[in-house]
Amino acid sequence: MAKKRPQTKAGKTGQAQVTSGEIPVVGAREPCPCGSGRRYKACHGRTASHAVTELVQRPFEGLPGECDWVALRELVPAATVPLTLKDGLPEGVPSVTLATVLPMAWPALRRDDGSVLLALQNDSTSGDLARDLADTLQRALAAEPGTPVPGRRVPAEGPRLQDLLDTDAEFAPEVHSGFEFWIPQSADGADPEVAASLERANAAAIPTVKLTGVDSAYWCETPDKNHLRWVMPYPEEKLLDALARLQAADGTSIGEDTRLVGSFRAHGLMVPVWDLPTSMTAEDCEKPAAEFAERLAGALASDAPLTAEERRARGGLTNRQVTLS
């Protein structure tokens, strides 16, 4: 139901040994850059992991569009969002844009025109994704135009996204069918490595559409069936109770031949998932999704104890949860 997050580019084997202070951050399953021959997670990545003192369960809490931040981090292949900085744009930076992923899994890119692209789908090193992203953003704003920003272990005392972004600004994701946004329209031609990465990414991207009638619900198309994945802001226990009430009353359907099959747990929020027939488009989901949202609001408002049938339904929903992060 969820897509795989792209891995960072592997380092070359047989490289010279380097000191611990120079070890860059790479994907957990990639060869450690120190040249030991072991995977990063079993080598210097273990030290970085042990350095984590606190895991922030809801790193995007307090940001506008928290549910969409989660969706773009875990579920949506290709999307961008303009970001507004709390203190305004620095001189020489015309814009800052959040992107789901960048070529070669770069954490960020300072383009030739000075604009910044910040990638959301990269590994966290500090236990606080909002702090990792803030560190990358600050380095991108100071980087030379035309250069990518590499990953690194993030200091535990640094600022978070909530400290850098205007929390009153709108958060409006634009979902794309592919990753052409990597290459500016004004560019004469893409770097061959970027072009190859673009081709691979486009081939792997799952067609995804954001519904317009409800918040943070995303339709996607897969070969066997379509899905609706809906990130919800409600406390997990309260939402499970509400879904159980609806499930026991046959009220979780969002159309003929649709079925609530389970949920993800991602960054402190629940993401209910429906199976849809292959003939059901995103547009077809709009009306039944809005009707379901009304039923869910009623179920969330109830404080009555669950009936025996509702408790059984709740147990089934709990057993079909998958934790992504």
Side-chain angles (χ1 to χ4, degrees), residues 14-49:
Q15 62 194 70
Q17 295 279 343
V18 295
T19 64
S20 296
E22 300 171 338
I23 304 300
V25 174
V26 298
R29 295 181 177 83
E30 295 182 21
C32 186
C34 75
S36 66
R38 291 182 292 171
R39 290 184 177 182
Y40 178 70
K41 68 177 182 179
C43 193
H44 282 85
R46 180 180 298 171
T47 302
S49 176

Side-chain angles (χ1 to χ4, degrees), residues 251-314:
T252 56
S253 171
I254 54 172
E256 187 176 356
D257 295 327
T258 68
R259 186 168 68 96
L260 176 63
V261 293
S263 63
F264 297 132
R265 184 188 289 112
H267 304 290
L269 299 180
M270 265 186 65
V271 189
V273 179
W274 283 261
D275 277 353
L276 313 174
T278 56
S279 60
M280 192 171 190
T281 65
E283 186 177 357
D284 295 333
C285 291
E286 292 283 2
K287 182 178 179 181
E291 293 171 346
F292 172 81
E294 292 182 4
R295 296 195 299 273
L296 179 62
L300 286 165
S302 175
D303 291 325
L306 296 181
T307 65
E309 186 177 1
E310 290 168 347
R311 288 197 299 272
R312 286 193 294 272
R314 193 185 195 283

Side-chain angles (χ1 to χ4, degrees), residues 80-282:
T80 55
V81 189
L83 296 179
T84 302
L85 303 187
K86 184 176 293 185
D87 297 327
L89 292 169
E91 183 178 356
V93 180
S95 64
V96 175
T97 302
L98 181 72
T100 47
V101 68
L102 292 176
M104 281 76 76
W106 292 329
L109 171 66
R110 182 87 186 271
R111 281 178 160 166
D112 291 336
D113 67 354
S115 61
V116 167
L117 289 177
L118 175 67
L120 184 55
Q121 296 177 12
N122 284 93
D123 291 335
S124 175
T125 63
S126 73
D128 182 356
L129 184 55
R131 180 165 283 115
D132 292 346
L133 288 166
D135 178 82
T136 302
L137 175 56
Q138 286 186 313
R139 290 187 291 126
L141 293 171
E144 290 294 324
T147 58
V149 176
R152 73 169 186 177
R153 288 191 288 275
V154 176
E157 67 279 1
R160 308 178 72 236
L161 282 176
Q162 290 82 346
D163 301 316
L164 303 183
L165 300 183
D166 182 353
T167 54
D168 293 325
E170 182 183 20
F171 189 81
E174 180 183 357
V175 178
H176 304 279
S177 59
F179 296 87
E180 281 73 20
F181 63 85
W182 287 352
I183 304 172
Q185 294 182 351
S186 59
D188 295 331
D191 177 274
E193 195 170 15
V194 172
S197 183
L198 172 64
E199 185 176 352
R200 290 192 300 270
N202 280 345
I206 297 173
T208 302
V209 176
K210 187 178 189 296
L211 299 195
T212 60
V214 294
D215 293 333
S216 310
Y218 292 80
W219 170 95
C220 68
E221 179 184 15
T222 62
D224 296 329
K225 62 188 68 170
N226 299 339
H227 303 286
L228 183 67
R229 304 181 291 194
W230 193 338
V231 187
M232 297 188 172
Y234 313 110
E236 181 174 326
E237 297 303 313
K238 186 75 172 177
L239 180 55
L240 280 170
D241 283 351
L243 291 173
R245 297 181 198 280
L246 295 178
Q247 186 91 310
D250 294 326
T252 56
S253 171
I254 54 172
E256 187 176 356
D257 295 327
T258 68
R259 186 168 68 96
L260 176 63
V261 293
S263 63
F264 297 132
R265 184 188 289 112
H267 304 290
L269 299 180
M270 265 186 65
V271 189
V273 179
W274 283 261
D275 277 353
L276 313 174
T278 56
S279 60
M280 192 171 190
T281 65

